[in-house]
Amino acid sequence: NAGVMQNPRHLVRRRGQEARLRCSPMKGHSHVYWYRQLPEEGLKFMVYLQKENIIDESGMPKERFSAEFPKEGPSILRIQQVVRGDSAAYFCASSPYWDQETQYFGPGTRLLVL
Amino acid sequence: SQQGEEDPQALSIQEGENATMNCSYKTSINNLQWYRQNSGRGLVHLILIRSNEREKHSGRLRVTLDTSKKSSSLLITASRAADTASYFCATGSSTSGTYKYIFGTGTRLKVLA
């Protein structure tokens, strides 16, 4: 049973480009969470999604950031017109619908904006 | 404001010594978890302690939770060079149907061989 998968593991973008980060939850998990870790800091909650629904996006920046979790396929975190301050590690976690306490984390995508 | 604050921010010890890290938080929680993160890598779950528990053990790890003081500690006994990593506490609580973990800023542990 594969764990949470994220790709790419490393992503380099120039300012103004778009970044797309993908997360495939563990098999059977219907809940996905995205967290961001700025350099030398802890992880901060961004958004919580279920299939085809955004449940809580209270941690998402109001502009340029969006997330989706379609019926089929991975969850996508999209950052438009990236700026240097978006450079961070982005972690995805998943949980089964019956146990939100147990969140399994992926290896993260490290985004570097030049 | 930051929910979890780890103390100390950095810790350097000799191999074989014990390492103690503390975490303080501000609001009510359902549980608290400790994670390890090696440099540039993902998170490794170490231990979960629920709000009605006071102490848990796992191998060389011992976690305590004092809900009256809103604090937790992680003790690593007989440390090894391989324990060198950042350690984070994460407090879990449910708000309006969303279960969120709020992470502290971490303690950077260096174990010298």
Side-chain angles (χ1 to χ4, degrees):
Chain A
N1 188 12
V4 177
M5 298 173 68
Q6 291 187 248
N7 68 82
R9 295 290 304 275
H10 299 272
L11 182 61
V12 180
R13 285 287 179 267
R14 295 192 181 280
R15 281 180 297 168
Q17 291 184 320
E18 179 180 285
R20 279 183 177 241
L21 288 64
R22 294 174 186 76
C23 168
S24 296
M26 285 182 71
K27 188 177 181 180
H29 286 190
S30 56
H31 295 194
V32 165
Y33 313 80
W34 285 93
Y35 293 81
R36 177 167 66 175
Q37 183 181 30
L38 295 171
E40 306 300 318
E41 294 189 13
L43 279 69
K44 288 188 167 56
F45 169 82
M46 297 181 75
V47 62
Y48 160 45
L49 309 104
Q50 295 176 15
K51 289 278 187 182
E52 299 183 286
N53 269 315
I54 297 175
I55 305 302
D56 184 336
E57 55 182 349
S58 57
M60 286 272 275
K62 295 285 185 280
E63 297 177 348
R64 302 188 297 107
F65 284 72
S66 62
E68 63 176 10
F69 188 17
K71 189 176 180 181
E72 301 290 337
S75 175
I76 307 283
L77 179 67
R78 184 179 173 210
I79 311 172
Q80 296 178 289
Q81 299 175 316
V82 295
V83 300
R84 288 217 174 104
D86 297 333
S87 295
Y90 292 82
F91 289 93
C92 166
S94 73
S95 70
Y97 74 92
W98 45 267
D99 183 12
Q100 282 193 63
E101 282 191 353
T102 307
Q103 296 183 13
Y104 297 83
F105 282 83
T109 292
R110 278 150 187 82
L111 172 66
L112 175 63
V113 180
L114 301 175
Chain B
S1 61
Q2 187 70 31
Q3 168 77 318
E5 296 285 348
E6 279 96 338
D7 167 50
Q9 290 189 342
L11 180 61
S12 186
I13 60 173
Q14 295 291 327
E15 203 167 30
E17 293 181 338
N18 294 343
T20 299
M21 289 159 266
N22 302 296
C23 169
S24 59
Y25 57 92
K26 294 181 172 63
T27 62
S28 299
I29 63 171
N30 291 81
N31 66 48
L32 185 146
Q33 305 200 57
W34 284 91
Y35 289 84
R36 185 182 74 225
Q37 184 180 37
N38 290 83
S39 181
R41 306 292 291 274
L43 294 169
V44 175
H45 178 260
L46 296 176
I47 202 162
L48 179 152
I49 186 165
R50 299 192 184 284
S51 59
N52 61 351
E53 297 175 312
R54 292 295 167 260
E55 189 171 310
K56 282 191 88 167
H57 297 255
S58 176
R60 292 184 296 114
L61 306 179
R62 175 178 163 246
V63 167
T64 63
L65 178 64
D66 187 336
T67 52
S68 66
K69 294 181 179 176
K70 291 186 168 60
S71 68
S72 173
S73 68
L74 170 67
L75 168 67
I76 304 174
T77 60
S79 62
R80 305 166 183 167
D83 294 329
T84 294
S86 291
Y87 292 81
F88 295 92
C89 70
T91 53
S93 57
S94 181
T95 306
S96 303
T98 300
Y99 205 93
K100 289 180 195 172
Y101 281 101
I102 300 178
F103 285 75
T105 51
T107 292
R108 284 151 193 78
L109 173 66
K110 188 168 186 177
V111 180
L112 304 170

